[in-house]
Amino acid sequence: MRFAILNGEIIERSEAKVDVEDRGYQFGDGVYEVIRVYNGKMFTATEHLNRFVKSSESIGITLPYTQEQLTKLLEELIVKNNLQVGTIYMQITRGISPRNHAFPTEKVMPSLVAYTKEVARPVENLKTGVKTILTEDIRWLRCDIKSLNLLGNLLAKQKAAVEGCFEAIQHRSEDVTEGSSSNIFIVKNGIVITHQSDNLILKGISKDVILQVCASNNIEVEERIFTLDELADADEVFLSSTTAEVMPIIEVDGKSVAAGFPGPVTRRLQELFEQEIEKQCGSLNDKILY
Ligand code: PDD
């Protein structure tokens, strides 16, 4: 039997149902998080929960649970579902109310849902690298909020999927922003370059882990806008996300990135990222071996 969290309670997953007038269902009026689990333990749980609170508050939803309560609930869910390696998906919406674009005037209880999924580390892709396409970033101007409204992201990802690619790299005119569900990095002359965390991208938790390990290992970083030309001219390109970790990119729009295989800085960052996972969650038995 599998379990899910619905409004603060752990129940059978098949019983976790939402109302047709839930504002998340009708408007995408809510926010979400995806948290990685290794060896039955959450990785960077505090950072994910902090971002969850921040995203909720930025759209005026007050979480009816403390971060401690949520952490405890999620830990219980992992145990109940006997999850070893996978993800937790968690979302909160403004709640159930007769359809009206403006927020409900009466007090409405936000709806919280969370469930788990078994997902192995994508070790093969992490070793060989993945292909990507380029696409114009057609999303709104608050990409820093982890909103349930993902249509722009979905259309970009679908374009990649049709081309047999792992990810779509989005750009606003000449400036590269981020992937449809990841942050994008280039490496030039040993310097790691990635878009600054502003309103045009999601401040990735994996991105932050990478920036921290760069800082403590004397790997130079520039957080700034970079262009499509810089992307085309990069020595290495990689993406980061909760599920994909540090994923080498070996092709952009049909053109090989440098030599067409994961570069030395990317591989070093993969190694350092694995060390961070092991510090929090214990030994990995499926490390990336080159
Ligand atoms: N996506 N940018 C976008 C648009 C994302 O959707 C994500 C994550 C990231 C990377 O963030 P993080 O390192 O915190 O996972 C960047 C998640 C995994 C998803 O939607 O499934």
Side-chain angles (χ1 to χ4, degrees), residues 2 25 33 40 55-56 69 89 111 114 162 172 194 211 231:
R2 286 197 298 160
Y25 182 61
E33 274 300 325
S55 289
S56 313
Q69 283 171 325
Y89 176 84
S111 313
V162 167
R172 290 190 191 263
T194 190
L211 297 187
L231 175 66

Side-chain angles (χ1 to χ4, degrees), residues 37-63:
V37 173
Y38 303 98
N39 299 327
K41 294 197 183 74
M42 285 185 276
F43 179 57
T44 52
T46 310
E47 291 80 356
H48 280 282
L49 286 165
N50 284 343
R51 187 171 67 185
F52 192 53
V53 172
K54 210 170 145 213
S55 289
S56 313
E57 284 174 353
S58 68
I59 62 165
I61 295 177
T62 307
L63 276 178

Side-chain angles (χ1 to χ4, degrees), residues 138-152:
I138 59 165
R139 300 172 304 158
W140 68 333
L141 297 174
R142 288 304 308 274
C143 299
D144 54 318
I145 300 172
K146 206 160 169 54
S147 155
L148 294 180
N149 285 279
L150 287 174
L151 264 182

Side-chain angles (χ1 to χ4, degrees), residues 40-246:
K41 294 197 183 74
M42 285 185 276
F43 179 57
T44 52
T46 310
E47 291 80 356
H48 280 282
L49 286 165
N50 284 343
R51 187 171 67 185
F52 192 53
V53 172
K54 210 170 145 213
S55 289
S56 313
E57 284 174 353
S58 68
I59 62 165
I61 295 177
T62 307
L63 276 178
Y65 313 95
T66 63
Q67 268 178 249
E68 291 69 34
Q69 283 171 325
L70 276 179
T71 309
K72 221 171 138 257
L73 267 174
L74 295 177
E75 283 168 353
E76 270 175 49
L77 184 68
I78 292 171
V79 173
K80 279 272 224 186
N81 284 343
N82 191 20
L83 182 71
Q84 288 304 308
V85 180
T87 55
I88 299 175
Y89 176 84
M90 171 170 65
Q91 71 169 46
I92 189 142
T93 77
R94 203 175 306 278
I96 303 160
S97 182
R99 187 173 185 279
N100 181 3
H101 286 55
F103 297 173
T105 45
E106 77 285 16
K107 203 168 158 35
V108 170
M109 180 72 172
S111 313
L112 177 84
V113 170
Y115 62 91
T116 63
K117 191 165 118 186
E118 284 179 27
V119 193
R121 297 183 70 214
V123 182
E124 225 21 67
N125 280 342
L126 288 169
K127 241 155 77 172
T128 58
V130 295
K131 297 178 178 177
T132 61
I133 56 149
L134 291 173
T135 190
E136 185 69 36
D137 192 338
I138 59 165
R139 300 172 304 158
W140 68 333
L141 297 174
R142 288 304 308 274
C143 299
D144 54 318
I145 300 172
K146 206 160 169 54
S147 155
L148 294 180
N149 285 279
L150 287 174
L151 264 182
N153 309 59
L154 305 191
L155 292 174
K157 185 72 101 190
Q158 180 58 17
K159 235 169 134 179
V162 167
E163 297 292 326
C165 287
F166 184 87
E167 180 61 301
I169 301 177
Q170 303 174 102
H171 56 95
R172 290 190 191 263
S173 190
E174 289 305 300
D175 300 339
V176 175
T177 50
E178 63 176 343
S180 70
S181 63
S182 62
N183 292 115
I184 303 292
F185 299 71
I186 58 171
V187 182
K188 190 68 189 172
N189 301 326
I191 303 173
V192 175
I193 304 164
T194 190
H195 197 289
Q196 69 266 17
S197 294
D198 58 16
N199 63 310
L200 296 182
I201 67 160
L202 183 75
K203 185 171 160 48
I205 305 297
S206 324
K207 176 190 171 191
D208 276 350
V209 172
I210 292 165
L211 297 187
Q212 278 161 29
V213 298
C214 282
S216 46
N217 289 275
N218 294 320
I219 301 170
E220 205 179 323
V221 172
E222 288 178 11
E223 255 194 298
R224 62 164 172 85
I225 287 169
F226 61 94
T227 63
L228 287 173
D229 284 346
E230 287 183 276
L231 175 66
D233 193 38
D235 300 331
E236 300 177 38
V237 183
F238 65 91
L239 61 81
S240 73
S241 82
T242 293
T243 44
E245 302 178 10
V246 179

